[in-house]
């Protein structure tokens, strides 16, 4: 088998990269260890920055997004028993769009040509520092194959094989709390997102559609799902959010650890990392999917310049440019996380409240927060 670009991973980063490359006339083959149904069922991020929406529209992927996406011009911060609205559009001239990551993936799979190779195993990357790398794998029928290519794009997440093929320096941080998240078949309790700082811990009210609500609670890192029956979850959400949430059937329930991670560099020879293979941000800042889209938007241009025109400048600078954006996103996401979560340290807890009060009382501070939230012109 032969192609120009082997894309490892059929998440939003890998699928979008392959789509953008095909629009430029390049061949790309996508390999994925999971089955198609699993890829479509993964419930992840739902907040799209305007830059992300622009990329999807320009790639011909905006039809369903424009019909079903929910435009939001602000969000609420709730603390000290009061609500403080961050007016994104008023402060920045921009808005965000709520549209689930799994919906983006569905749009990408509907547009994919050819279909990704799902259910592969034993994926190994070879000769990535040469101009003739390859990928060996076993397909879903148990047949061993070799995919020869000119470039490999590692879009297979933190636990994938691509990151381990790059001699990276890893910078990591684990936070002393986790998120208990649910997706429920119930109308949202508020027309915008709510970020709540409460004495019992952080809570987030989000949505995926007018019928689906996404909700999160700060819990201890060693918390067990069995300790959180549905009645307890809904009671705690109402208490922390200060909003009457109507209980509904749960579509998903899980606990996610809170961590940050950056791998440096994001390029090794002809192997390029993108998305969660290169960086993970705390979800509080809603940056993960947006960062991945910005990665592959730049990478598609760099690979087009390299493979079609023989110019390697953008490919050589890709890692440096995207790492600067990754660290901007890490900075903002970490600040949001520490500001909104309940800390067991009295000093940190009082700092969090001081930061929130400043945002609520200072137009300059609220504007800075809003600009970070909607995404900078530099793609972070």
């Amino acid at each position: 088998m032969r192609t120009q670009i082997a894309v490892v991973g059929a998440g939003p980063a890998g699928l979008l990269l392959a789509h953008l490359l095909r629009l430029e006339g390049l061949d790309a083959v996508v390999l994925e260890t999971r089955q198609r149904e699993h890829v479509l069922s993964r419930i992840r991020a739902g907040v799209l920055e305007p830059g992300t929406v622009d990329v999807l529209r320009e790639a011909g992927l905006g039809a369903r997004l424009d019909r079903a996406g929910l435009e939001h011009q602000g969000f609420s911060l709730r603390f000290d028993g009061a609500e403080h609205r961050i007016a994104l559009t008023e402060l920045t001239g921009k808005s965000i769009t709520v549209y689930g990551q799994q919906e983006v993936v569905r749009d990408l799979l509907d547009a994919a040509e050819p279909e990704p190779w799902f259910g592969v195993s034993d994926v190994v990357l070879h000769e990535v520092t040469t101009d003739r790398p390859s990928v060996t794998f076993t397909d879903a029928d148990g047949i061993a194959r070799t995919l020869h290519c000119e470039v490999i794009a590692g879009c297979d997440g933190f636990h994938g094989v691509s990151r381990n093929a790059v001699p990276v320096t890893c910078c990591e941080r684990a936070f002393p709390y986790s998120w208990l998240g649910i997706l429920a078949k119930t109308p949202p309790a508020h027309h915008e997102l709510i970020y709540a700082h409460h004495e019992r811990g952080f809570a987030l009210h989000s949505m995926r559609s007018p019928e689906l609500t996404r909700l999160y609670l700060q819990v201890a890192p060693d918390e067990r799902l069995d300790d959180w029956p549905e009645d307890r979850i809904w009671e705690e959400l109402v208490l922390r959010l200060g909003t009457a949430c109507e209980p509904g059937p749960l579509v998903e329930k899980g606990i996610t650890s809170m961590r940050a991670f950056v791998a440096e560099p994001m390029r090794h020879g002809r192997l390029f990392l993108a998305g969660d293979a290169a960086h993970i941000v705390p979800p509080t800042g809603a940056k993960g999917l947006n960062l991945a889209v910005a990665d592959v938007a730049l990478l598609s241009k760099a690979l087009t310049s390299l493979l079609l025109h023989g110019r390697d400048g953008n490919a050589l600078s890709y890692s440096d440019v995207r790492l600067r954006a990754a660290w901007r996103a890490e900075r903002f996401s970490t600040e949001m996380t520490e500001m909104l979560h309940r800390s067991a340290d009295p000093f940190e807890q009082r700092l969090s409240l001081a930061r929130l009060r400043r945002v609520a009382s200072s137009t300059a501070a609220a504007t800075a927060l809003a600009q970070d939230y909607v995404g900078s012109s530099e793609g972070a």
Side-chain angles (χ1 to χ4, degrees):
M1 298 172 57
R2 188 172 298 278
T3 188
Q4 289 172 292
I5 304 99
V7 180
V8 185
L15 290 171
L16 179 57
L17 177 62
H19 182 81
L20 294 173
L21 292 169
R22 291 181 194 120
L23 292 178
E24 296 292 342
L26 292 163
D27 294 324
V29 171
V30 181
L31 306 175
E32 171 58 51
T33 59
R34 304 284 191 170
Q35 297 296 333
R36 192 181 201 273
E37 294 73 21
H38 177 85
V39 171
L40 278 170
S41 68
R42 288 184 289 203
I43 307 296
R44 294 291 185 270
V47 173
L48 305 186
E49 296 174 1
T52 297
V53 172
D54 289 344
V55 170
L56 295 174
R57 284 175 177 158
E58 290 168 8
L61 300 164
R64 204 161 66 92
L65 166 62
D66 288 336
R67 290 196 306 271
L70 306 174
E71 183 183 5
H72 286 201
Q73 297 185 349
F75 64 84
S76 291
L77 293 176
R78 291 189 178 178
F79 63 95
D80 287 344
E83 179 173 336
H84 308 271
R85 185 170 185 268
I86 303 299
L88 296 174
T89 304
E90 180 181 326
L91 295 169
T92 70
K94 300 177 182 179
S95 61
I96 57 167
T97 301
V98 173
Y99 189 67
Q101 176 175 309
Q102 75 275 21
E103 302 303 328
V104 175
V105 170
R106 187 179 299 278
D107 294 340
L108 285 162
L109 284 175
D110 287 345
E113 186 179 342
E115 177 89 352
W117 287 65
F118 290 106
V120 306
S121 58
D122 307 318
V123 179
V124 181
L125 313 186
H126 304 273
E127 304 294 334
V128 298
T129 58
T130 73
D131 59 0
R132 290 292 182 269
S134 63
V135 182
T136 56
F137 64 98
T138 302
D139 69 18
D141 295 321
I143 300 173
R145 298 183 180 272
T146 300
L147 178 61
H148 299 279
C149 55
E150 297 176 62
V151 167
I152 300 173
C155 305
D156 49 344
F158 180 82
H159 297 291
V161 300
S162 299
R163 182 174 59 85
N164 294 323
V166 178
V168 298
T169 298
C170 298
C171 298
E172 300 182 69
R173 171 178 290 185
F175 294 87
Y177 30 73
S178 296
W179 275 12
L180 189 159
I182 63 169
L183 183 67
K185 289 185 177 180
T186 185
H190 194 269
H191 66 284
E192 293 181 334
L193 278 71
I194 303 170
Y195 292 84
H197 178 103
H198 191 271
E199 62 181 10
R200 295 179 64 89
F202 167 75
L204 171 60
H205 167 278
S206 183
M207 64 284 293
R208 292 295 178 267
S209 73
E211 297 81 31
L212 281 175
T213 303
R214 188 68 162 156
L215 299 147
Y216 295 96
L217 291 168
Q218 175 186 347
V219 297
D222 57 352
E223 204 77 54
R224 299 185 310 154
L225 271 179
D226 291 344
D227 296 329
W228 286 89
E230 290 186 29
D231 288 348
R232 184 187 177 194
I233 292 173
W234 289 111
E235 289 172 5
E236 197 70 16
L237 284 166
V238 170
L239 179 65
R240 297 190 196 182
L241 290 170
T243 296
C245 298
E246 180 182 338
L250 299 192
V251 178
E252 185 187 71
K253 172 183 172 183
I255 292 179
T256 304
S257 61
M258 296 286 287
R259 60 195 177 107
F261 165 85
V262 179
E264 301 180 355
M266 291 174 59
R267 179 187 69 86
H268 183 53
R270 288 293 183 98
L271 169 60
F272 297 80
L273 302 180
D276 286 357
H279 39 65
I280 294 173
V281 293
T284 323
K287 291 296 173 189
L289 175 58
N290 296 292
L291 201 56
V293 169
D295 284 349
V296 299
L298 179 62
L299 183 55
S300 66
K301 295 175 182 177
L303 296 183
T304 299
S305 182
L306 175 67
L307 299 180
L308 288 186
H309 308 294
R311 297 193 291 268
D312 63 359
N314 290 337
L316 294 176
S317 64
Y318 166 77
S319 178
D320 290 340
V321 172
R322 292 312 303 157
L323 281 172
R324 286 196 293 272
W327 281 111
R328 288 194 297 271
E330 294 285 6
R331 187 270 308 165
F332 171 67
S333 298
T334 299
E335 288 177 359
M336 279 281 284
T337 299
E338 293 176 343
M339 178 175 71
L340 286 163
H341 285 71
R342 174 77 183 181
S343 174
D345 182 336
F347 188 88
E348 291 294 334
Q349 174 61 15
R350 285 163 175 75
L351 281 181
S352 297
L353 287 169
R355 294 181 183 118
L356 285 165
R357 290 163 183 159
R358 179 171 181 268
V359 168
S361 61
S362 165
T363 301
T367 301
L369 173 63
Q371 288 173 335
D372 280 329
Y373 196 86
V374 300
S376 75
S377 59
E378 300 173 285

